[in-house]
């Protein structure tokens, strides 16, 4: 298997698993990397250590790194000069990704790397309610079959509609926690001012409106699996609190000073590239590394057209339903781009089965990209799932708001930012997002 540093362009194309290395930053053999195995790794200048550091300021047996589930503990072995973790001398402490360890004058970094997995496709075309004949997707099934029975944290990547929530539930059902609760926490569906309370809970009277004690999702899920959906929508100020809860395995309800021990497995999902979010400061790097122990990408439907017959049979719950369709209907389904993936396919199939028949089924008729109508009526598409309808409505609103704003100010960006009440840099970012230029909207188009 090839090992590569997380963040390369190939990351996300294949399932990956997180590994940790010690990298020498100062001392003998600067730049040398030592992989950490599953068991205890002892470090010192004595020849009987797993990692030998030939430096006079390092003790014969200086420190050890011990794995505890998904966490790694740094333990001083009675060294002469002590073991230091990020400027603090320790006897024993848990390590965070990127942490610096000092032994004598030698400095090392606890470095996460992502190892792309070369997997044989599963012999099964199903994993829970996920179905596929595609080789890449069945490689994912192969990984999930191995990892689901463990307590490993999993990050699911994929576009809207690729089946991330279905995969999360299937992981739970295949785990040793299947008899415990499966709790969904949707970061995009909770008001930002309440997200901390919904996640960690609150005490009665802890804030205005807190009329009773509330147990948060991380407490309610005890013994089960917490599925954190739309992870990229988690507010930046809540992210360190979630990281601390995961690492310390305890939480505090809002307004409480009494810790509550956690017993849960976390599966998270995002439709965005979190590496970009980290680079642009919208997502914490340490939380990303903590949640990406195993990264599982779910391929879009356009990359696996061979799955259409299987999916149509599965959606209609009738074997041979695909073969019963007219050839021209099957051709239209294969030619469609399926920007909404399996969710869009399900909506199209179910709508056709309810309204009149499969013989006239045409997925292109169900697109909601009629720009003129959108400008006149910014209304949600009530036939779509809540999150999908909300995302589409927000996109249409932002685009139309910007068009009207630019037309009104005739391209004056300082005035536009002032009237909109937003930072000018953010305004430029929105314009870039929607392909608009400050002077391209005529004033009559407002």
């Amino acid at each position: 298997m090839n090992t590569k540093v997380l963040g390369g362009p190939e990351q996300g194309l294949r399932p990956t698993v997180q590994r940790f290395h010690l990298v020498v930053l100062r001392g003998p053999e600067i730049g040398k990397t030592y992989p950490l195995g599953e068991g205890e790794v002892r470090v010192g200048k004595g020849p009987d250590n797993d990692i030998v550091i030939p430096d006079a300021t390092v003790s014969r047996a200086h420190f050890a790194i011990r794995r505890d589930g998904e966490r790694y503990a740094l333990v001083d072995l009675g060294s002469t000069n002590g073991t230091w973790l990020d400027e603090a001398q320790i006897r024993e402490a848990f390590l965070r990704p990127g942490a610096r360890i000092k032994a004598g004058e030698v400095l090392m970094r606890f470095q996460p790397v992502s190892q792309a997995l070369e997997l044989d496709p599963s012999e099964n075309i199903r994993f829970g309610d996920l179905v596929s004949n595609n080789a890449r997707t069945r490689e994912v099934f192969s990984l999930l079959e191995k990892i689901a029975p463990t307590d490993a944290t999993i990050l699911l990547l994929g576009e809207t509609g690729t089946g991330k929530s279905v995969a999360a539930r299937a992981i739970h059902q295949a785990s040793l926690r299947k008899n415990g609760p499966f709790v969904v926490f949707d970061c995009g569906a909770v008001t930002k001012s309440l997200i901390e309370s919904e996640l960690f809970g609150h005490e009665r009277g802890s804030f205005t409106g807190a009329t009773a004690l509330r147990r948060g999702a991380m407490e309610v899920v005890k013994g089960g699996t917490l599925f954190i959906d739309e992870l990229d929508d988690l507010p930046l100020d809540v992210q360190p609190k979630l990281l601390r809860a995961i690492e310390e395995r305890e939480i505090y309800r809002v307004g409480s000073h009494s810790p509550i021990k956690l017993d849960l497995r976390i599966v998270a999902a995002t439709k965005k590239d979190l590496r970009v979010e980290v680079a642009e400061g919208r997502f914490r790097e340490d939380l990303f590394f903590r949640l990406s122990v195993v990264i599982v990408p779910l391929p879009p439907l356009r990359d696996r057209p061979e799955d259409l017959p299987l999916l149509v049979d599965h959606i209609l719950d009738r074997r041979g339903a695909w073969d019963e369709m007219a050839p021209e209907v099957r051709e239209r389904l294969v030619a469609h781009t399926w920007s909404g993936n399996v969710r869009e396919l399900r909506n199209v199939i179910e709508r056709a089965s309810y309204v009149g028949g499969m013989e006239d089924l045409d997925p292109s008729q169900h697109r909601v990209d009629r720009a003129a109508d959108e400008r006149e009526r910014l209304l949600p598409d009530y036939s779509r799932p809540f999150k999908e309808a909300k995302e589409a409505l927000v996109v249409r609103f932002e685009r139309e708001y910007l068009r009207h704003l630019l037309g009104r100010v005739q391209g004056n960006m300082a005035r536009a930012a002032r009237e909109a009440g937003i930072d000018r840099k953010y305004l430029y970012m929105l314009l870039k997002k929607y392909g608009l230029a400050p002077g391209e909207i005529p004033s009559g188009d407002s």
Side-chain angles (χ1 to χ4, degrees), residues 396-417:
R396 297 202 303 273
F397 164 76
E398 289 183 346
R399 183 187 296 116
E400 289 311 304
Y401 184 92
L402 293 171
R403 287 175 57 85
H404 281 256
L405 177 66
L406 293 180
R408 189 166 67 248
V409 303
Q410 299 182 338
N412 185 324
M413 293 301 289
R415 180 184 164 193

Side-chain angles (χ1 to χ4, degrees), residues 2 13 56 70 117 186 191 208 225 245 322 404 408 424 431:
N2 295 324
L13 297 179
E70 290 182 1
L117 300 176
D186 187 340
T191 305
T208 303
T225 301
W322 171 267
H404 281 256
R408 189 166 67 248
R424 196 186 303 187
L431 293 180

Side-chain angles (χ1 to χ4, degrees), residues 250-313:
E250 64 182 24
I251 57 170
Y252 293 84
R253 296 193 193 115
V254 176
S256 172
H257 299 290
S258 301
I260 298 170
K261 293 297 181 182
L262 296 179
D263 176 16
L264 78 169
R265 193 248 190 101
I266 292 180
V267 177
T270 176
K271 62 183 177 298
K272 293 185 179 179
D273 187 340
L274 288 187
R275 295 166 301 164
V276 174
E277 299 298 296
V278 168
E280 297 185 357
R282 291 189 295 269
F283 202 87
R284 289 180 61 104
E285 184 179 38
D286 47 8
L287 180 59
F288 169 63
F289 283 125
R290 191 63 191 81
L291 292 173
S292 59
V293 176
V294 180
I295 297 180
V296 180
L298 298 178
L301 183 54
R302 63 180 172 274
D303 289 350
R304 47 190 185 102
E306 68 271 32
D307 277 348
L308 282 167
L310 187 63
L311 288 167
V312 169
D313 288 1

Side-chain angles (χ1 to χ4, degrees), residues 231-258:
L231 178 65
D232 46 276
D233 281 331
L234 187 67
L236 198 57
D237 62 328
V238 179
Q239 292 177 23
K241 298 172 185 176
L242 176 59
L243 175 64
R244 187 165 55 250
I246 296 172
E247 292 194 330
E248 297 178 3
R249 304 195 182 175
E250 64 182 24
I251 57 170
Y252 293 84
R253 296 193 193 115
V254 176
S256 172
H257 299 290
S258 301

Side-chain angles (χ1 to χ4, degrees), residues 4-6 18-21 96-99 109-114 289:
K4 55 202 74 160
V5 176
L6 187 62
Q18 191 178 92
R19 300 287 187 237
F20 283 93
H21 291 182
R96 289 189 175 187
R109 183 173 61 236
F110 182 63
Q111 178 69 44
V113 296
S114 182
F289 283 125

